[in-house]
Amino acid sequence: MATATIIDCHVHPTAAKGGSPTDCADRLLPYADRMGVELMGLSLGPIFVQQPTPEQVEADNDYNAELIERWPDRFFGYTNLNPNYLRHSLAELDRRVAGGPFMGIKLWVAICCDHPNLDPICERAAELDAPILQHTFFRTGGNMPTESSPAHLATLAARHPDVTFIAAHAGLNWERGIRAVAPQPNILVDTCGFDPEMGYTEMAVAWLGSERVVYGSDAAGRSFASQLAKVHGADISDADKRKILGANMRRVLSL
Ligand SMILES: [Zn+2]
């Protein structure tokens, strides 16, 4: 299939293992170039802890902001927030998204996403037209106490129909995850962070439509190539592949 622009909706700046933003770009960009990934969505940050303090959230956001500002054609970003610190989260949302350069929000495992603290954050996200990338797992043996599942995200998305959500990892157990988010049209699923198993992308397109599936790698935790294989190797049309690899994220980000 012809190589169109590829947007990776989900990467982490962990490649440099504690190095500077420049070290991180030096590590990531050659691999992105080799795989045709033009634009990468940065989330969390080098600190990468499950319950970050406001100071750690700001340090992670400062790091990603430097990458975005130095390589604006290669990186965009989701502001890291810890919604347990609600006032700080709203301030950080104004500072990083309303003030730039971030375009969306990343939420990991600090709080389960059906918690009421998410409501004011989602209301502000709707005003800013900022998509929310939410980690979602259906973990074998049960999730961690504050970890969100796709079912929790469906509950939140029903309360905020004007916000676009991306269910990161499609729940890991994707057969359950796709089913759980299917009734909520404002939820997309990404392809990242699990093994390149056959059938995932086909099921996501069949249940959600190709408009609701986006390519993400979870680099540097996963390779670009193994996650691209889920799209390139899928038994779907080339037009659907182009939507998943780039066109859908262009729409989500209003590029
Ligand atoms: Zn991730």
Side-chain angles (χ1 to χ4, degrees):
M1 126 193 199
T3 310
T5 301
I6 298 175
I7 300 177
D8 186 330
C9 79
H10 186 148
V11 305
H12 301 287
T14 50
K17 299 199 188 328
S20 69
T22 301
D23 295 332
C24 179
D26 286 347
R27 298 282 303 222
L28 265 180
L29 290 174
Y31 292 102
D33 289 343
R34 188 191 296 175
M35 299 314 303
V37 175
E38 186 174 310
L39 194 58
M40 288 167 273
L42 292 162
S43 76
L44 303 180
I47 296 174
F48 221 118
V49 294
Q50 295 183 355
Q51 202 59 255
T53 64
E55 293 73 26
Q56 288 173 319
V57 165
E58 289 183 34
D60 273 350
N61 287 337
D62 285 343
Y63 189 98
N64 287 349
E66 189 172 332
L67 277 164
I68 297 162
E69 280 159 359
R70 293 194 58 186
W71 289 273
D73 298 335
R74 305 308 301 273
F75 295 110
F76 67 97
Y78 307 88
T79 182
N80 188 12
L81 303 177
N82 182 342
N84 287 303
Y85 301 97
L86 180 54
R87 247 180 313 176
H88 180 262
S89 292
L90 292 170
E92 199 66 358
L93 192 47
D94 273 348
R95 176 182 173 195
R96 306 290 182 172
V97 180
F102 291 78
M103 302 184 86
I105 298 165
K106 171 63 189 277
L107 300 172
W108 192 26
V109 295
I111 193 168
C112 187
C113 71
D114 65 352
H115 191 283
N117 276 20
L118 271 289
D119 291 325
I121 292 170
C122 289
E123 285 161 19
R124 189 69 181 122
E127 290 168 2
L128 295 169
D129 202 17
I132 298 179
L133 177 63
Q134 171 67 58
H135 165 95
T136 61
F137 268 6
F138 275 129
R139 206 182 273 274
T140 305
N143 281 3
M144 298 186 290
T146 58
E147 186 172 38
S148 303
S149 76
H152 293 123
L153 184 59
T155 300
L156 179 69
R159 300 206 299 260
H160 298 281
D162 296 337
V163 178
T164 298
F165 298 87
I166 301 170
H169 322 300
L172 183 65
N173 179 338
W174 44 266
E175 291 194 15
R176 286 182 69 193
I178 291 167
R179 287 183 175 92
V181 302
Q184 280 305 314
N186 53 330
I187 301 179
L188 290 74
V189 295
D190 75 18
T191 61
C192 83
F194 55 94
D195 290 340
E197 298 158 304
M198 280 178 69
Y200 164 67
T201 306
E202 291 90 334
M203 178 174 171
V205 168
W207 277 68
L208 310 178
S210 56
E211 290 75 20
R212 289 174 61 193
V213 187
V214 284
Y215 166 67
S217 67
D218 227 1
R222 295 272 178 170
S223 63
F224 295 115
S226 64
Q227 312 302 298
L228 277 170
K230 292 174 183 170
V231 185
H232 287 312
D235 185 16
I236 57 175
S237 71
D238 282 357
D240 283 347
K241 290 179 185 179
R242 280 190 286 272
K243 287 184 203 168
I244 295 167
L245 291 173
N248 290 340
M249 273 313 285
R250 277 188 188 286
R251 185 186 74 239
V252 168
L253 297 171
S254 306
L255 294 178

